[in-house]
Amino acid sequence: FGGIERLFITDIKRLKAISYDSQKDIYLYESSDSQSSFILQNGSCAILMPNDAHRAEKISDTQNIVKKIVAK
């Protein structure tokens, strides 16, 4: 498996919530200019804390499988 994506993160306290989907357990927020980003690729790992709001963005038009594990 391989894949590549850019992950944007920011402190959740800097964001304003727009809506919440209880079935998917996901909040949507307004965009923010105060965010950092880094590239995740094969062999990379990111560990995010509860205060880390994040958004992934594909950076390649090539289709790849990206494995993700989410634990709450």
Side-chain angles (χ1 to χ4, degrees):
F1 294 97
I4 185 166
E5 66 182 7
R6 181 179 307 275
L7 190 66
F8 294 90
I9 61 169
T10 191
D11 188 325
I12 202 164
K13 293 177 186 171
R14 297 176 180 236
L15 301 176
K16 180 180 177 186
I18 297 172
S19 64
Y20 174 70
D21 183 330
S22 61
Q23 296 215 344
K24 294 181 181 179
D25 189 26
I26 185 171
Y27 280 93
L28 297 178
Y29 294 90
E30 288 183 353
S31 293
S32 172
D33 290 335
S34 62
Q35 58 188 348
S36 299
S37 72
F38 54 94
I39 300 202
L40 289 170
Q41 54 191 357
N42 195 22
S44 297
C45 174
I47 299 175
L48 305 175
M49 298 294 120
N51 62 310
D52 295 329
H54 62 283
R55 173 179 63 88
E57 177 181 274
K58 75 175 191 169
I59 57 175
S60 172
D61 289 332
T62 305
Q63 282 192 329
N64 291 299
I65 295 174
V66 177
K67 287 186 174 182
K68 297 181 183 184
I69 298 172
V70 178
K72 294 184 178 189

